[in-house]
Amino acid sequence: MAFANTCLFFVSCCLLFASVHAQMSMSAEEEEMLEAMGVKGQPMGRKNQEPQAEVIKGDLKHISCGVCRKMVELAYPRSQEILEKRFKHKKKRARETVDFDGEAAIQEYVETMCLPLKPEGEWVSKIDIVQDGTSLLLATQPSAGHCRRECRTVERACNDVLDKADTEFTEILFNGVRDGATLEQMQRYICNRAAGVCKKKPPPVKNRPFDEKFKVMTAEEKQMIEMQANLKDSGMSGTMYRREDLAGMMDKLGDLTGMEGMEGMEGMGEYDELESVGGVDGAVKDNVAGDDEPDYVDDTDEETKAEL
């Protein structure tokens, strides 16, 4: 009886632990005790050693141009928002100094736009790579999906663009906003010249051996994955337990002790079991070349270069 009461108290503490989304870590002995009672959790943060999916290297040369154009399509309007106050401000006095966001703010945004678990990089997890004849298309889904091989391939292509363009990526965005350049001009400046991924038309796709089905994330799965990323970033670790698993264990222990259950636990809610959904109908397809067919010619004429 005393052991059952002790276990009941311990599980009630675990329920409190689950209600705060595993922000605290449990001892190894406590986790072993829960596992011995049939309650298994999900390793979080540094404890989660699940490897990332492999990149589909054969797809990179076919999607690099489209990924670059998509990046500029997202980054240019964001840069305009960041720099709006800076370029609209009119000095009231000759020596007036006002601090506004500049290139550093754009750089901060660009540095995270390839990370699918960050808000700036969520677009990466919405891309489904599909084959259309001898070309690969970037099909943008309405919801984020599990970041598996195709997602990691888009992430790699995004990082490759940033590596090739280097600081020119943010410099061109800054100058483009200042000078009022069009989106098409920005895509040509960055993707054709700075990164060089749209100089030539990609080769035709032949015998693509792998086509991954897009798998949408539920809200609960998305919350869990974001929590994993936040814990890893902070260097923390822990184990997440489903509330219904812990509540079920409490019910069993309550029966052993003759208790009906703990009072005041009704409002804790339930942690629904994760479920996955298949592909998405009505996906919006973006050709790897972008909405408009890009000019793959390497623009080198002096007049065009002078625009920025």
Side-chain angles (χ1 to χ4, degrees), residues 48-288:
N48 182 15
Q49 301 298 323
E50 184 179 351
Q52 291 187 347
E54 293 183 8
V55 171
I56 309 173
K57 295 181 179 179
D59 286 355
L60 289 172
K61 59 180 175 291
H62 300 286
I63 68 170
S64 293
C65 179
V67 169
C68 180
R69 290 174 65 85
K70 183 69 175 178
M71 292 169 66
V72 179
E73 180 184 326
L74 296 170
Y76 190 44
R78 178 60 183 144
S79 299
Q80 290 173 320
E81 293 175 10
I82 293 173
L83 299 174
E84 182 179 13
K85 291 182 179 180
R86 182 186 187 94
F87 292 127
K88 284 189 175 181
H89 178 74
K90 295 182 179 180
K91 291 185 178 181
K92 296 180 180 179
R93 296 180 298 276
R95 296 183 179 181
E96 179 184 7
T97 58
V98 183
D99 290 331
F100 291 107
D101 290 333
E103 253 184 74
I106 299 176
Q107 181 67 27
E108 184 178 346
Y109 167 81
V110 169
E111 286 177 352
T112 56
M113 72 177 305
C114 295
L115 303 177
L117 297 181
K118 296 291 185 181
E120 298 85 355
E122 188 180 25
W123 67 276
V124 174
S125 62
K126 292 183 177 181
I127 297 294
D128 183 20
I129 302 175
V130 296
Q131 184 170 349
D132 183 19
T134 58
S135 301
L136 292 184
L137 308 180
L138 302 181
T140 302
Q141 308 296 319
S143 301
H146 287 271
C147 197
R148 300 182 293 171
R149 294 193 66 183
E150 290 191 351
C151 171
R152 294 301 175 189
T153 303
V154 174
E155 180 184 8
R156 170 71 67 82
C158 180
N159 282 316
D160 287 347
V161 168
L162 294 183
D163 289 342
K164 291 175 180 177
D166 200 21
T167 57
E168 284 189 83
F169 197 101
T170 53
E171 289 171 3
I172 293 173
L173 288 173
F174 182 89
N175 293 336
V177 174
R178 181 194 62 197
D179 300 337
T182 65
L183 175 60
E184 179 63 27
Q185 286 175 318
M186 299 304 295
Q187 288 173 327
R188 287 167 64 89
Y189 296 146
I190 292 176
C191 301
N192 286 41
R193 300 178 200 164
V197 294
C198 290
K199 285 184 178 181
K200 299 179 180 179
K201 191 172 183 178
V205 178
K206 296 180 180 178
N207 302 321
R208 185 173 184 243
F210 185 82
D211 185 19
E212 184 177 70
K213 186 176 181 180
F214 190 84
K215 187 178 180 182
V216 176
M217 279 194 297
T218 64
E220 290 82 4
E221 289 172 324
K222 190 172 185 294
Q223 182 184 33
M224 177 75 76
I225 291 174
E226 288 175 348
M227 194 183 304
Q228 289 270 24
N230 291 334
L231 284 173
K232 282 187 177 181
D233 289 345
S234 63
M236 296 176 62
S237 64
T239 303
M240 171 69 79
Y241 295 92
R242 294 195 187 96
R243 290 191 181 98
E244 66 267 22
D245 290 343
L246 297 176
M249 183 58 63
M250 285 190 67
D251 291 340
K252 292 179 182 178
L253 293 174
D255 293 339
L256 291 175
T257 59
M259 298 174 63
E260 295 295 332
M262 298 281 290
E263 294 182 359
M265 304 299 290
E266 295 82 5
M268 293 191 66
E270 297 182 355
Y271 197 90
D272 294 335
E273 187 171 355
L274 304 183
E275 58 180 350
S276 51
V277 183
V280 178
D281 295 331
V284 181
K285 293 184 177 180
D286 297 329
N287 191 290
V288 290

